[in-house]
mmCIF file of all heavy atoms in Angstrom:
data_model
loop_
_atom_site.group_PDB
_atom_site.id
_atom_site.type_symbol
_atom_site.label_atom_id
_atom_site.label_comp_id
_atom_site.label_asym_id
_atom_site.label_seq_id
_atom_site.Cartn_x
_atom_site.Cartn_y
_atom_site.Cartn_z
ATOM 1 N N LEU R 1 4.570 9.226 0.671
ATOM 2 C CA LEU R 1 5.862 8.582 0.668
ATOM 3 C C LEU R 1 6.133 7.953 -0.684
ATOM 4 O O LEU R 1 7.272 8.054 -1.210
ATOM 5 C CB LEU R 1 5.809 7.437 1.741
ATOM 6 C CG LEU R 1 7.106 6.609 1.859
ATOM 7 C CD1 LEU R 1 8.258 7.532 2.251
ATOM 8 C CD2 LEU R 1 6.890 5.550 2.911
ATOM 9 N N SER R 2 5.182 7.408 -1.364
ATOM 10 C CA SER R 2 5.340 6.944 -2.767
ATOM 11 C C SER R 2 5.717 7.957 -3.765
ATOM 12 O O SER R 2 6.557 7.772 -4.633
ATOM 13 C CB SER R 2 4.074 6.213 -3.216
ATOM 14 O OG SER R 2 3.812 5.079 -2.349
ATOM 15 N N LEU R 3 5.051 9.187 -3.634
ATOM 16 C CA LEU R 3 5.446 10.306 -4.506
ATOM 17 C C LEU R 3 6.870 10.704 -4.200
ATOM 18 O O LEU R 3 7.674 10.963 -5.184
ATOM 19 C CB LEU R 3 4.507 11.461 -4.304
ATOM 20 C CG LEU R 3 3.138 11.376 -4.961
ATOM 21 C CD1 LEU R 3 2.266 12.555 -4.502
ATOM 22 C CD2 LEU R 3 3.282 11.384 -6.465
ATOM 23 N N LEU R 4 7.233 10.781 -2.942
ATOM 24 C CA LEU R 4 8.631 11.215 -2.587
ATOM 25 C C LEU R 4 9.673 10.243 -3.156
ATOM 26 O O LEU R 4 10.681 10.646 -3.704
ATOM 27 C CB LEU R 4 8.751 11.299 -1.095
ATOM 28 C CG LEU R 4 10.049 11.906 -0.516
ATOM 29 C CD1 LEU R 4 10.318 13.271 -1.070
ATOM 30 C CD2 LEU R 4 10.043 11.849 1.006
ATOM 31 N N LEU R 5 9.399 8.946 -3.120
ATOM 32 C CA LEU R 5 10.246 7.927 -3.669
ATOM 33 C C LEU R 5 10.319 8.041 -5.181
ATOM 34 O O LEU R 5 11.370 7.848 -5.825
ATOM 35 C CB LEU R 5 9.953 6.534 -3.166
ATOM 36 C CG LEU R 5 10.154 6.250 -1.709
ATOM 37 C CD1 LEU R 5 9.517 4.920 -1.292
ATOM 38 C CD2 LEU R 5 11.615 6.324 -1.339
ATOM 39 N N HIS R 6 9.110 8.326 -5.806
ATOM 40 C CA HIS R 6 9.066 8.573 -7.190
ATOM 41 C C HIS R 6 9.969 9.760 -7.640
ATOM 42 O O HIS R 6 10.756 9.668 -8.539
ATOM 43 C CB HIS R 6 7.633 8.810 -7.568
ATOM 44 C CG HIS R 6 7.445 9.379 -8.970
ATOM 45 N ND1 HIS R 6 7.691 8.644 -10.148
ATOM 46 C CD2 HIS R 6 7.026 10.585 -9.397
ATOM 47 C CE1 HIS R 6 7.467 9.400 -11.196
ATOM 48 N NE2 HIS R 6 7.115 10.557 -10.787
ATOM 49 N N TYR R 7 9.956 10.831 -6.874
ATOM 50 C CA TYR R 7 10.709 12.021 -7.180
ATOM 51 C C TYR R 7 12.175 11.751 -7.021
ATOM 52 O O TYR R 7 13.055 12.163 -7.758
ATOM 53 C CB TYR R 7 10.340 13.236 -6.370
ATOM 54 C CG TYR R 7 8.855 13.659 -6.466
ATOM 55 C CD1 TYR R 7 8.199 14.198 -5.377
ATOM 56 C CD2 TYR R 7 8.167 13.546 -7.616
ATOM 57 C CE1 TYR R 7 6.881 14.618 -5.471
ATOM 58 C CE2 TYR R 7 6.861 13.996 -7.760
ATOM 59 C CZ TYR R 7 6.230 14.494 -6.660
ATOM 60 O OH TYR R 7 4.935 14.934 -6.759
ATOM 61 N N ALA R 8 12.521 11.017 -5.927
ATOM 62 C CA ALA R 8 13.941 10.820 -5.515
ATOM 63 C C ALA R 8 14.574 9.783 -6.465
ATOM 64 O O ALA R 8 15.748 10.018 -6.780
ATOM 65 C CB ALA R 8 14.037 10.299 -4.113
ATOM 66 N N PHE R 9 13.880 8.785 -6.872
ATOM 67 C CA PHE R 9 14.532 7.652 -7.631
ATOM 68 C C PHE R 9 13.935 7.418 -8.977
ATOM 69 O O PHE R 9 14.344 6.495 -9.683
ATOM 70 C CB PHE R 9 14.498 6.372 -6.809
ATOM 71 C CG PHE R 9 15.160 6.492 -5.474
ATOM 72 C CD1 PHE R 9 14.365 6.579 -4.323
ATOM 73 C CD2 PHE R 9 16.526 6.588 -5.361
ATOM 74 C CE1 PHE R 9 14.998 6.629 -3.084
ATOM 75 C CE2 PHE R 9 17.109 6.648 -4.119
ATOM 76 C CZ PHE R 9 16.381 6.719 -2.957
ATOM 77 N N ASP R 10 12.900 8.192 -9.347
ATOM 78 C CA ASP R 10 12.250 8.052 -10.677
ATOM 79 C C ASP R 10 11.613 6.726 -10.782
ATOM 80 O O ASP R 10 11.483 6.157 -11.924
ATOM 81 C CB ASP R 10 13.228 8.369 -11.829
ATOM 82 C CG ASP R 10 12.385 8.696 -13.082
ATOM 83 O OD1 ASP R 10 11.248 9.233 -13.018
ATOM 84 O OD2 ASP R 10 12.888 8.436 -14.205
ATOM 85 N N TRP R 11 11.146 6.053 -9.701
ATOM 86 C CA TRP R 11 10.410 4.806 -9.758
ATOM 87 C C TRP R 11 8.996 5.123 -10.147
ATOM 88 O O TRP R 11 8.477 6.221 -9.733
ATOM 89 C CB TRP R 11 10.478 4.145 -8.417
ATOM 90 C CG TRP R 11 11.881 3.626 -7.997
ATOM 91 C CD1 TRP R 11 12.904 3.358 -8.825
ATOM 92 C CD2 TRP R 11 12.292 3.435 -6.680
ATOM 93 N NE1 TRP R 11 14.001 2.968 -8.074
ATOM 94 C CE2 TRP R 11 13.656 2.964 -6.726
ATOM 95 C CE3 TRP R 11 11.680 3.478 -5.417
ATOM 96 C CZ2 TRP R 11 14.365 2.661 -5.612
ATOM 97 C CZ3 TRP R 11 12.409 3.118 -4.320
ATOM 98 C CH2 TRP R 11 13.746 2.729 -4.430
ATOM 99 N N PRO R 12 8.262 4.230 -10.812
ATOM 100 C CA PRO R 12 6.891 4.515 -11.080
ATOM 101 C C PRO R 12 6.042 4.573 -9.823
ATOM 102 O O PRO R 12 6.123 3.785 -8.964
ATOM 103 C CB PRO R 12 6.430 3.255 -11.916
ATOM 104 C CG PRO R 12 7.706 2.551 -12.396
ATOM 105 C CD PRO R 12 8.781 2.996 -11.324
ATOM 106 N N PHE R 13 5.219 5.657 -9.727
ATOM 107 C CA PHE R 13 4.430 5.872 -8.531
ATOM 108 C C PHE R 13 3.532 4.707 -8.226
ATOM 109 O O PHE R 13 3.460 4.264 -7.094
ATOM 110 C CB PHE R 13 3.519 7.178 -8.733
ATOM 111 C CG PHE R 13 2.529 7.315 -7.706
ATOM 112 C CD1 PHE R 13 2.807 7.729 -6.463
ATOM 113 C CD2 PHE R 13 1.158 6.957 -7.996
ATOM 114 C CE1 PHE R 13 1.867 7.860 -5.481
ATOM 115 C CE2 PHE R 13 0.215 7.059 -7.041
ATOM 116 C CZ PHE R 13 0.506 7.524 -5.787
ATOM 117 N N SER R 14 2.853 4.140 -9.235
ATOM 118 C CA SER R 14 1.957 3.059 -9.055
ATOM 119 C C SER R 14 2.573 1.836 -8.384
ATOM 120 O O SER R 14 2.023 1.250 -7.472
ATOM 121 C CB SER R 14 1.192 2.669 -10.345
ATOM 122 O OG SER R 14 2.152 2.334 -11.293
ATOM 123 N N VAL R 15 3.776 1.517 -8.862
ATOM 124 C CA VAL R 15 4.493 0.323 -8.315
ATOM 125 C C VAL R 15 4.886 0.593 -6.878
ATOM 126 O O VAL R 15 4.667 -0.267 -6.003
ATOM 127 C CB VAL R 15 5.691 -0.010 -9.185
ATOM 128 C CG1 VAL R 15 6.526 -1.110 -8.582
ATOM 129 C CG2 VAL R 15 5.341 -0.404 -10.574
ATOM 130 N N VAL R 16 5.438 1.719 -6.625
ATOM 131 C CA VAL R 16 5.937 2.053 -5.278
ATOM 132 C C VAL R 16 4.681 2.086 -4.298
ATOM 133 O O VAL R 16 4.705 1.573 -3.173
ATOM 134 C CB VAL R 16 6.626 3.405 -5.163
ATOM 135 C CG1 VAL R 16 7.006 3.804 -3.794
ATOM 136 C CG2 VAL R 16 7.876 3.314 -6.072
ATOM 137 N N PHE R 17 3.563 2.665 -4.781
ATOM 138 C CA PHE R 17 2.360 2.830 -3.979
ATOM 139 C C PHE R 17 1.801 1.413 -3.618
ATOM 140 O O PHE R 17 1.428 1.187 -2.471
ATOM 141 C CB PHE R 17 1.307 3.583 -4.755
ATOM 142 C CG PHE R 17 0.131 4.140 -4.033
ATOM 143 C CD1 PHE R 17 0.249 4.571 -2.678
ATOM 144 C CD2 PHE R 17 -1.082 4.087 -4.674
ATOM 145 C CE1 PHE R 17 -0.917 4.987 -2.028
ATOM 146 C CE2 PHE R 17 -2.231 4.543 -3.994
ATOM 147 C CZ PHE R 17 -2.082 5.002 -2.662
ATOM 148 N N VAL R 18 1.672 0.538 -4.581
ATOM 149 C CA VAL R 18 1.187 -0.781 -4.363
ATOM 150 C C VAL R 18 2.124 -1.540 -3.357
ATOM 151 O O VAL R 18 1.656 -2.133 -2.363
ATOM 152 C CB VAL R 18 0.920 -1.556 -5.608
ATOM 153 C CG1 VAL R 18 0.626 -3.015 -5.336
ATOM 154 C CG2 VAL R 18 -0.220 -0.907 -6.442
ATOM 155 N N LEU R 19 3.379 -1.593 -3.648
ATOM 156 C CA LEU R 19 4.325 -2.320 -2.829
ATOM 157 C C LEU R 19 4.447 -1.738 -1.418
ATOM 158 O O LEU R 19 4.550 -2.479 -0.447
ATOM 159 C CB LEU R 19 5.704 -2.425 -3.533
ATOM 160 C CG LEU R 19 5.786 -3.180 -4.793
ATOM 161 C CD1 LEU R 19 7.212 -3.129 -5.394
ATOM 162 C CD2 LEU R 19 5.340 -4.603 -4.581
ATOM 163 N N GLY R 20 4.429 -0.467 -1.333
ATOM 164 C CA GLY R 20 4.551 0.185 -0.003
ATOM 165 C C GLY R 20 3.347 -0.074 0.901
ATOM 166 O O GLY R 20 3.553 -0.002 2.160
ATOM 167 N N ASN R 21 2.227 -0.437 0.359
ATOM 168 C CA ASN R 21 1.055 -0.663 1.163
ATOM 169 C C ASN R 21 0.998 -2.150 1.519
ATOM 170 O O ASN R 21 0.114 -2.466 2.444
ATOM 171 C CB ASN R 21 -0.178 -0.260 0.430
ATOM 172 C CG ASN R 21 -0.502 1.202 0.558
ATOM 173 O OD1 ASN R 21 -0.831 1.655 1.691
ATOM 174 N ND2 ASN R 21 -0.290 1.962 -0.504
ATOM 175 N N LEU R 22 1.712 -3.039 1.042
ATOM 176 C CA LEU R 22 1.616 -4.456 1.293
ATOM 177 C C LEU R 22 1.652 -4.806 2.803
ATOM 178 O O LEU R 22 0.842 -5.597 3.252
ATOM 179 C CB LEU R 22 2.658 -5.254 0.531
ATOM 180 C CG LEU R 22 2.462 -5.355 -0.964
ATOM 181 C CD1 LEU R 22 3.590 -6.096 -1.605
ATOM 182 C CD2 LEU R 22 1.087 -6.010 -1.324
ATOM 183 N N PRO R 23 2.574 -4.202 3.589
ATOM 184 C CA PRO R 23 2.625 -4.569 4.991
ATOM 185 C C PRO R 23 1.377 -4.200 5.806
ATOM 186 O O PRO R 23 1.089 -4.809 6.856
ATOM 187 C CB PRO R 23 3.822 -3.708 5.505
ATOM 188 C CG PRO R 23 4.623 -3.364 4.386
ATOM 189 C CD PRO R 23 3.646 -3.272 3.204
ATOM 190 N N PHE R 24 0.553 -3.274 5.317
ATOM 191 C CA PHE R 24 -0.596 -2.862 6.029
ATOM 192 C C PHE R 24 -1.838 -3.696 5.858
ATOM 193 O O PHE R 24 -2.811 -3.508 6.493
ATOM 194 C CB PHE R 24 -0.886 -1.378 5.731
ATOM 195 C CG PHE R 24 0.195 -0.431 6.207
ATOM 196 C CD1 PHE R 24 1.196 -0.030 5.352
ATOM 197 C CD2 PHE R 24 0.183 0.066 7.517
ATOM 198 C CE1 PHE R 24 2.229 0.829 5.833
ATOM 199 C CE2 PHE R 24 1.224 0.850 8.001
ATOM 200 C CZ PHE R 24 2.194 1.217 7.085
ATOM 201 N N TYR R 25 -1.774 -4.576 4.865
ATOM 202 C CA TYR R 25 -2.954 -5.418 4.575
ATOM 203 C C TYR R 25 -3.196 -6.348 5.725
ATOM 204 O O TYR R 25 -4.361 -6.749 6.042
ATOM 205 C CB TYR R 25 -2.836 -6.108 3.277
ATOM 206 C CG TYR R 25 -2.926 -5.146 2.076
ATOM 207 C CD1 TYR R 25 -1.898 -5.114 1.198
ATOM 208 C CD2 TYR R 25 -4.012 -4.318 1.983
ATOM 209 C CE1 TYR R 25 -1.958 -4.239 0.075
ATOM 210 C CE2 TYR R 25 -4.038 -3.401 0.936
ATOM 211 C CZ TYR R 25 -3.061 -3.415 -0.055
ATOM 212 O OH TYR R 25 -3.077 -2.485 -1.106
ATOM 213 N N TRP R 26 -2.203 -6.784 6.391
ATOM 214 C CA TRP R 26 -2.315 -7.689 7.557
ATOM 215 C C TRP R 26 -3.189 -6.979 8.652
ATOM 216 O O TRP R 26 -4.154 -7.600 9.152
ATOM 217 C CB TRP R 26 -0.973 -8.076 8.088
ATOM 218 C CG TRP R 26 -1.037 -8.959 9.316
ATOM 219 C CD1 TRP R 26 -1.221 -10.298 9.363
ATOM 220 C CD2 TRP R 26 -0.900 -8.598 10.688
ATOM 221 N NE1 TRP R 26 -1.270 -10.758 10.639
ATOM 222 C CE2 TRP R 26 -1.037 -9.689 11.465
ATOM 223 C CE3 TRP R 26 -0.663 -7.312 11.317
ATOM 224 C CZ2 TRP R 26 -1.004 -9.674 12.863
ATOM 225 C CZ3 TRP R 26 -0.600 -7.269 12.672
ATOM 226 C CH2 TRP R 26 -0.764 -8.502 13.444
ATOM 227 N N LEU R 27 -2.884 -5.741 8.969
ATOM 228 C CA LEU R 27 -3.632 -4.955 9.866
ATOM 229 C C LEU R 27 -5.055 -4.771 9.377
ATOM 230 O O LEU R 27 -6.053 -4.893 10.135
ATOM 231 C CB LEU R 27 -3.012 -3.633 10.227
ATOM 232 C CG LEU R 27 -3.762 -2.703 11.104
ATOM 233 C CD1 LEU R 27 -3.938 -3.259 12.454
ATOM 234 C CD2 LEU R 27 -3.079 -1.330 11.189
ATOM 235 N N ALA R 28 -5.189 -4.537 8.151
ATOM 236 C CA ALA R 28 -6.523 -4.282 7.585
ATOM 237 C C ALA R 28 -7.373 -5.565 7.670
ATOM 238 O O ALA R 28 -8.544 -5.490 8.066
ATOM 239 C CB ALA R 28 -6.418 -3.896 6.104
ATOM 240 N N VAL R 29 -6.853 -6.766 7.357
ATOM 241 C CA VAL R 29 -7.590 -7.978 7.473
ATOM 242 C C VAL R 29 -8.007 -8.252 8.936
ATOM 243 O O VAL R 29 -9.076 -8.506 9.293
ATOM 244 C CB VAL R 29 -6.820 -9.163 6.872
ATOM 245 C CG1 VAL R 29 -7.539 -10.496 7.297
ATOM 246 C CG2 VAL R 29 -6.710 -9.065 5.439
ATOM 247 N N ARG R 30 -7.014 -8.102 9.807
ATOM 248 C CA ARG R 30 -7.269 -8.421 11.267
ATOM 249 C C ARG R 30 -8.254 -7.381 11.928
ATOM 250 O O ARG R 30 -9.042 -7.784 12.730
ATOM 251 C CB ARG R 30 -5.954 -8.491 12.038
ATOM 252 C CG ARG R 30 -5.084 -9.568 11.634
ATOM 253 C CD ARG R 30 -3.789 -9.674 12.430
ATOM 254 N NE ARG R 30 -4.022 -9.581 13.861
ATOM 255 C CZ ARG R 30 -4.180 -10.573 14.746
ATOM 256 N NH1 ARG R 30 -4.149 -11.871 14.223
ATOM 257 N NH2 ARG R 30 -4.318 -10.467 15.975
ATOM 258 N N ARG R 31 -8.140 -6.142 11.624
ATOM 259 C CA ARG R 31 -8.903 -5.107 12.325
ATOM 260 C C ARG R 31 -10.110 -4.577 11.556
ATOM 261 O O ARG R 31 -11.057 -4.103 12.196
ATOM 262 C CB ARG R 31 -7.996 -3.960 12.663
ATOM 263 C CG ARG R 31 -6.903 -4.309 13.550
ATOM 264 C CD ARG R 31 -7.368 -4.775 14.885
ATOM 265 N NE ARG R 31 -6.209 -5.088 15.725
ATOM 266 C CZ ARG R 31 -6.278 -5.537 16.963
ATOM 267 N NH1 ARG R 31 -7.466 -5.860 17.398
ATOM 268 N NH2 ARG R 31 -5.241 -5.796 17.679
ATOM 269 N N MET R 32 -9.998 -4.644 10.211
ATOM 270 C CA MET R 32 -11.070 -4.025 9.390
ATOM 271 C C MET R 32 -11.941 -5.001 8.685
ATOM 272 O O MET R 32 -12.961 -4.687 8.094
ATOM 273 C CB MET R 32 -10.490 -2.937 8.486
ATOM 274 C CG MET R 32 -9.575 -1.987 9.130
ATOM 275 S SD MET R 32 -10.302 -0.905 10.349
ATOM 276 C CE MET R 32 -11.287 0.125 9.326
ATOM 277 N N GLY R 33 -11.421 -6.219 8.446
ATOM 278 C CA GLY R 33 -12.152 -7.321 7.747
ATOM 279 C C GLY R 33 -11.733 -7.405 6.292
ATOM 280 O O GLY R 33 -11.049 -6.577 5.731
ATOM 281 N N TRP R 34 -12.215 -8.543 5.736
ATOM 282 C CA TRP R 34 -11.823 -8.852 4.335
ATOM 283 C C TRP R 34 -12.455 -7.909 3.347
ATOM 284 O O TRP R 34 -11.819 -7.559 2.384
ATOM 285 C CB TRP R 34 -12.278 -10.334 4.031
ATOM 286 C CG TRP R 34 -11.215 -11.272 4.510
ATOM 287 C CD1 TRP R 34 -11.312 -12.068 5.611
ATOM 288 C CD2 TRP R 34 -9.959 -11.518 3.993
ATOM 289 N NE1 TRP R 34 -10.169 -12.842 5.774
ATOM 290 C CE2 TRP R 34 -9.267 -12.535 4.754
ATOM 291 C CE3 TRP R 34 -9.254 -10.997 2.866
ATOM 292 C CZ2 TRP R 34 -8.036 -12.994 4.487
ATOM 293 C CZ3 TRP R 34 -7.977 -11.526 2.608
ATOM 294 C CH2 TRP R 34 -7.403 -12.497 3.396
ATOM 295 N N GLU R 35 -13.713 -7.525 3.594
ATOM 296 C CA GLU R 35 -14.345 -6.595 2.657
ATOM 297 C C GLU R 35 -13.579 -5.286 2.523
ATOM 298 O O GLU R 35 -13.253 -4.831 1.352
ATOM 299 C CB GLU R 35 -15.772 -6.244 3.083
ATOM 300 C CG GLU R 35 -16.447 -5.230 2.195
ATOM 301 C CD GLU R 35 -17.852 -4.749 2.736
ATOM 302 O OE1 GLU R 35 -18.296 -5.334 3.809
ATOM 303 O OE2 GLU R 35 -18.361 -3.806 2.205
ATOM 304 N N PHE R 36 -13.189 -4.717 3.617
ATOM 305 C CA PHE R 36 -12.418 -3.421 3.581
ATOM 306 C C PHE R 36 -11.096 -3.718 2.916
ATOM 307 O O PHE R 36 -10.689 -2.860 2.138
ATOM 308 C CB PHE R 36 -12.181 -2.992 5.075
ATOM 309 C CG PHE R 36 -11.307 -1.773 5.198
ATOM 310 C CD1 PHE R 36 -11.788 -0.525 5.167
ATOM 311 C CD2 PHE R 36 -9.941 -1.972 5.381
ATOM 312 C CE1 PHE R 36 -10.960 0.555 5.237
ATOM 313 C CE2 PHE R 36 -9.038 -0.900 5.492
ATOM 314 C CZ PHE R 36 -9.588 0.415 5.432
ATOM 315 N N THR R 37 -10.435 -4.827 3.293
ATOM 316 C CA THR R 37 -9.072 -5.064 2.720
ATOM 317 C C THR R 37 -9.089 -5.254 1.173
ATOM 318 O O THR R 37 -8.213 -4.733 0.498
ATOM 319 C CB THR R 37 -8.458 -6.333 3.367
ATOM 320 O OG1 THR R 37 -8.452 -6.153 4.802
ATOM 321 C CG2 THR R 37 -7.084 -6.572 2.925
ATOM 322 N N ILE R 38 -10.094 -5.990 0.740
ATOM 323 C CA ILE R 38 -10.154 -6.200 -0.774
ATOM 324 C C ILE R 38 -10.479 -4.902 -1.414
ATOM 325 O O ILE R 38 -9.834 -4.553 -2.489
ATOM 326 C CB ILE R 38 -11.218 -7.306 -1.075
ATOM 327 C CG1 ILE R 38 -10.704 -8.665 -0.617
ATOM 328 C CG2 ILE R 38 -11.549 -7.329 -2.545
ATOM 329 C CD1 ILE R 38 -11.768 -9.783 -0.590
ATOM 330 N N LYS R 39 -11.400 -4.081 -0.873
ATOM 331 C CA LYS R 39 -11.736 -2.829 -1.492
ATOM 332 C C LYS R 39 -10.533 -1.919 -1.458
ATOM 333 O O LYS R 39 -10.258 -1.203 -2.515
ATOM 334 C CB LYS R 39 -12.871 -2.167 -0.719
ATOM 335 C CG LYS R 39 -14.225 -2.747 -1.019
ATOM 336 C CD LYS R 39 -15.324 -1.972 -0.214
ATOM 337 C CE LYS R 39 -16.657 -2.480 -0.328
ATOM 338 N NZ LYS R 39 -17.654 -1.719 0.469
ATOM 339 N N THR R 40 -9.762 -1.982 -0.426
ATOM 340 C CA THR R 40 -8.573 -1.109 -0.302
ATOM 341 C C THR R 40 -7.495 -1.532 -1.280
ATOM 342 O O THR R 40 -6.854 -0.684 -1.922
ATOM 343 C CB THR R 40 -8.026 -1.117 1.119
ATOM 344 O OG1 THR R 40 -9.060 -0.537 1.976
ATOM 345 C CG2 THR R 40 -6.778 -0.323 1.281
ATOM 346 N N PHE R 41 -7.303 -2.814 -1.424
ATOM 347 C CA PHE R 41 -6.276 -3.362 -2.358
ATOM 348 C C PHE R 41 -6.638 -2.863 -3.813
ATOM 349 O O PHE R 41 -5.783 -2.341 -4.480
ATOM 350 C CB PHE R 41 -6.144 -4.806 -2.264
ATOM 351 C CG PHE R 41 -5.185 -5.405 -3.230
ATOM 352 C CD1 PHE R 41 -3.837 -5.367 -2.969
ATOM 353 C CD2 PHE R 41 -5.611 -5.942 -4.487
ATOM 354 C CE1 PHE R 41 -2.861 -5.896 -3.841
ATOM 355 C CE2 PHE R 41 -4.660 -6.484 -5.347
ATOM 356 C CZ PHE R 41 -3.342 -6.416 -5.078
#
């Protein structure tokens, strides 16, 4: 999805990738734990 937005709008992949993943960290903390979430971030 981040690559697609990069191609469509010429936004930097890294910025879109980091921001696009922000909503999923809540699930990661609740279901997978802090260690997993920090490593994933």
Side-chain angles (χ1 to χ4, degrees):
L1 181 58
S2 299
L3 282 171
L4 187 59
L5 292 171
H6 166 70
Y7 301 147
F9 302 107
D10 200 30
W11 295 336
F13 168 77
S14 57
V15 173
V16 176
F17 192 40
V18 169
L19 294 177
N21 276 294
L22 289 177
F24 293 95
Y25 292 124
W26 179 80
L27 176 63
V29 169
R30 291 183 50 92
R31 299 297 184 183
M32 309 298 286
W34 279 104
E35 176 189 351
F36 175 88
T37 304
I38 291 167
K39 286 180 181 180
T40 296
F41 179 80

